[in-house]
Amino acid sequence: MATYRPRVISLTKRAGHSFGFYLRVEHGEEGHLIRCLEMGGPAELAGMKDGDRILRVNGTFVDGLSHSEVVDTVRNSGATVTFHILDEASYKQAKAQGVNLSNPQSAPFVNGVAKHTLKPKLCYLVKSSSGYGFSLRSVKDTPGLFMAEVIPGDVAHRAGVKVSDRLLELNGENIEDQTHDQVVDKLKQAGGSIMFLLVDEETDEYYKNKCIKIGAWLATTKYLAHQPRNIEMIKGSDGYGFLLKEEPNQTGHFIRDIDRGSPAEQAGAKDMDRLVAVDGKEVDGLSHEQVVDRIKKCGNHCCLLVVDKETDQMYKQGKVSPMLFWEEMDSSSPPSYTEAVNLPAPGRPSTPAQERREHLKPKLCKMEKTSAGYGFHLNGIQGICGQYIKDVVTGGAADRAGLEDDDIVVEVNGVNVERSSHEEVVEIIRQSGSCLEMLVATKSVYSHFTDKGVTITRQLLGETSYAQVHSAERPETSREERHEEETKEEQARPETPTEPARERTSSSSSEESIDERL
């Protein structure tokens, strides 16, 4: 069976900006899809491609999660987030072969560079009503206890536990010399959650041959359900917009009183986040004054490593420092993640600024109806204003006029339709007769102007009047009437109810999707 190598891509966005892509769930397609990459945005520059599937966010396997859960995970990551990405063809092939993508057989690629490091792993299990979903076994003449009967899809399996993994630590305590019964007793007394340090056969043999003692300090944190967060902030006129406090009966330094709209809030800081490190340097054991001084010395840009209460408790249960996450991320790829993100994608020349500006324009497309209609679908988001182009027929009137899939419709025959319903726009098109004029913009161009508060009008075209004007008849199969399913597209919702089929014109759509800009 083929092996599948995810790419690891870390993105950093500026305050008030996005990562430069849309996260979508589409009818008839499995997985969380990357769509509508912004030209020159962080995602495109880092090498993301249209149709790529997100497998992990900050090490957490998300392929089986709902759309809203993945969106929340990304948003809660702040200004920096790390993705495990698989290209569309490999993802579909893996799904067809029944490959378990939560435990990749091959090393991931870090921003396009192959990376393979043998490490023990930390696995965090929260007991379900049916238990943890594994059993322990011992092997004759072999010291230690091993994982057995790991139930596919159950708690242990989802946490990264694999059959034949050797158990080294339980909740931070080394149990290599303990008996089967002693370990079982500890599991029973552990309560509703446990942290394992495990090692697979290959990794175990590697460290034994090098006579290196295996401990949690060597482990990967990528399987852990909760991860620390990097908060990168650029100081505003009023500072970073939070207070650093010490809390009664708690150890550590905590972020409190976050100002609304401040750099701290925009970067993803949360009330009661515990500060672990400042610019990669751990602050545990420092006084309040020492930590404040360290932040002040950062100047106008500061990077904080923080943990929320749940993440903090998980790391403490395993008796490991959250700095393990930082060290693993920081050493996983030369150059650093942040440096790699700022480089153009491999094999693709940088786009000159002048060329970029020329592309940042809407398009005015005029077309004349043929016997086959205009040759495109108009997709509407049910219950939400906004229309976009889909299923442009190659060689059709729309194609020759310059319309492209996912173009956002701004005007129809000189009428702004950004806040019009799908039915209203369809009616305008119907009443246009045999000639149709549309002002449209790609999603990246649309986002560019709306983010800056600029209204998209024909004045942005400069001297350009039309993309193309054609009136030639082409014998194509008529698409004048169809019986298709209403398109529904919602913001950060896991499921979309099905609407009854209804008669539509050629501007109808059969796509069902959930779409979120990130």
Side-chain angles (χ1 to χ4, degrees), residues 176-191:
E176 292 179 87
D177 295 329
Q178 296 186 18
T179 66
H180 182 279
D181 290 341
Q182 287 175 319
V183 176
V184 169
D185 285 341
K186 290 183 183 296
L187 287 171
K188 290 178 179 178
Q189 297 169 12

Side-chain angles (χ1 to χ4, degrees), residues 17-30:
H17 290 71
S18 73
F19 290 114
F21 71 93
Y22 277 70
L23 179 65
R24 296 187 64 174
V25 173
E26 296 178 355
H27 178 68
E29 296 283 353
E30 288 188 275

Side-chain angles (χ1 to χ4, degrees), residues 6-9 32 34 48 53-65 70 73-74 77 81-86 91 100-105 108 157-162 220-225 227:
R7 311 187 314 275
V8 180
I9 291 178
H32 303 280
I34 301 296
M48 280 188 175
R53 267 42 169 205
I54 293 179
L55 300 183
R56 294 180 181 275
V57 178
N58 293 335
T60 300
F61 186 70
V62 299
D63 189 53
L65 299 183
V70 181
T73 301
V74 175
S77 299
V81 61
T82 302
F83 298 99
H84 279 61
I85 303 290
L86 196 61
Y91 181 87
N100 175 20
L101 293 173
S102 66
N103 289 301
Q105 301 175 33
H157 181 263
R158 295 197 306 270
V161 179
K162 298 174 71 174
T220 177
T221 64
K222 67 180 182 181
Y223 295 99
L224 293 179
Q227 296 288 9

Side-chain angles (χ1 to χ4, degrees), residues 385-387 409-412 415-421 424-425 428 439:
C385 298
Q387 316 297 320
V409 181
V410 180
E411 291 181 5
V412 177
V415 178
N416 185 283
V417 296
E418 291 176 274
R419 297 190 176 276
S420 300
S421 69
E424 289 171 336
V425 180
I428 295 174
L439 182 68

